Structures are given as structure tokens and as C-alpha cells.
Amino acid sequence: MKNIEQITDDNLGGLAVCFYTDWDNIDFTRFPKLDGLRLIGDIFLKEGATWGMLVFTSKTAGYSQPTKQDRRGTIYPHEIKGFIPRETPELAAHLFEMNTQRRYAVLHRDHNGFMRLSGGPDYGLKFESKFNTQDSPDGRNGSTASFKADSLMPALFYSGQVTATDPVTPPSQEPSGYVRFEKGNGELIALVPAGSTFQIRSGFNFGFRILS
């Protein structure tokens, strides 16, 4: 039996970013191979298709994956959920369209830097949004949105390419006073308090990306 040891790295909750696409957009004839729960290679979309970026309100986005048992064995319910603030005629029309009987695949990256895929050759996720103005000016006007599905597999880790439609930079959700170091695929290396020292002891290449 393998030891299950405590992971001592920084541990942050919530989702940093989500990408979604119609399930039919994925070219499953070239779907990546599995190594454990890792997808090895890139997810290819059909010609002209892209991933849409879904930016939830800060500190409202999360992913849950409990387990349950039925006649098929262990079932993994997937739920990506967050809050979309306010509503415009254009946003309402888009959410209305997404609420139809379509299926989606969703890439979701957590604040620890790990990207996972929910949706695969055997299943897609349904989208649901619930709008509420609240009953007071102090309330939060907007929609609670979610992608849901049950499957025989948990979400799979993914570090390949993502071609997004007009990607935007979501508001920073890192703890105040910290600097984030990431690998090229977005995987978190470290969160370092401002003014502290971060030392790398092995060979590496680096680059800078300045977000205005």
C-alpha cells in the first residue's frame, strides 16, 4: 500500500478561471490518452471552435465532486458553480441560450494552479442559471450559474493548450500582499509574501508577463 502523506505546499480554495465549450466542439477522435487521472496531450477542438471564458465574481467560484454508489458502481457528480453579477439584455440572452438542452465540457483551474476537465467522450455537463435581484439595494443582483453532470470518472488533470475566445484577465483573487509564481501551464509554484525571498535551486528559464 502507498503512503498518503500531508501536502505541505500552499493550499488555496476556490476556482481561479473556467473555460467552457459545446461538447460537440471537441474532436474526440484525437482525445488525449490517460495516465492515471492525467490527460497526456492537447484537447483538439473542431475547426472554428474555441473555449469561452467564464469569469465569476471573486470568491464565489468553486468545484465540488462528492461520490455516490448505484448499480454502475462509484459515481462522481461534477458541479462547477459561481455567481455572475448584474444582468443586461445581452447577458440574459446568452444565459438563456446556454440553458437549452445542450451539453458542455468545462476546464476549471483552481487557485493551487491545477487545471481539470469535466466532460469527456462519455458525458457532457448541463448548464443552469438562476437570476435573482434580491429584495434590497444592499443585496447582490445577478445569477447563480452552474455546470452539472454525473460520470464514472472524476475530473481529469489537464496541462495542455487552451484556445480561448477573446480571453480576459479575471480580477486577482490571490491573498493581499502575496506574489504568485507559476509554471508555463499555469500550475502554481509558490505564493510568496511581498518582501520575502524566493529561491530556485535548479536550472530554469524564466520570462515576465506584465498585466496592465
Side-chain angles (χ1 to χ4, degrees), residues 27 63 69 74 76 79 82 93-94 99 109 129 144 155 157 162 168-169 175 178 183 198 202-203 211:
D27 183 353
Y63 172 68
Q69 302 291 324
T74 301
Y76 295 88
E79 182 177 15
H94 186 60
N99 273 311
R109 180 162 62 85
S129 65
T144 300
F157 289 86
V162 180
V168 297
T169 302
Y178 281 75
K183 296 181 181 179
F198 176 60
S202 60
L211 302 176

Side-chain angles (χ1 to χ4, degrees), residues 2 30 39 80 88 107 118 150 163 179 183-184 188 198:
K2 293 184 178 180
R30 297 192 289 170
L39 290 169
I80 299 105
T88 63
L107 289 167
S118 289
D150 287 355
T163 302
V179 178
K183 296 181 181 179
L188 180 68
F198 176 60

Side-chain angles (χ1 to χ4, degrees), residues 183-206:
K183 296 181 181 179
N185 63 7
E187 184 175 338
L188 180 68
I189 298 174
L191 281 176
V192 181
S196 298
T197 300
F198 176 60
Q199 186 174 10
I200 300 176
R201 298 180 180 275
S202 60
F204 69 98
N205 295 319
F206 70 92

Side-chain angles (χ1 to χ4, degrees), residues 58-130:
S58 176
K59 299 180 181 179
T60 69
Y63 172 68
S64 63
Q65 182 184 274
T67 58
K68 60 184 181 181
Q69 302 291 324
D70 71 8
R71 57 182 176 78
R72 296 170 292 175
T74 301
I75 304 300
Y76 295 88
H78 302 246
E79 182 177 15
I80 299 105
K81 185 177 181 180
F83 187 78
I84 302 173
R86 303 186 63 179
E87 190 166 69
T88 63
E90 294 77 17
L91 175 59
H94 186 60
L95 296 180
F96 173 77
E97 180 185 2
M98 290 182 66
N99 273 311
T100 60
Q101 299 298 314
R102 292 156 63 182
R103 293 187 293 170
Y104 296 91
V106 183
L107 289 167
H108 40 99
R109 180 162 62 85
D110 64 29
H111 285 293
N112 292 327
F114 291 105
M115 183 88 82
R116 292 175 173 87
L117 172 71
S118 289
D122 300 322
Y123 76 103
L125 289 81
K126 291 298 303 297
F127 177 81
E128 179 182 69
S129 65
K130 298 178 181 179

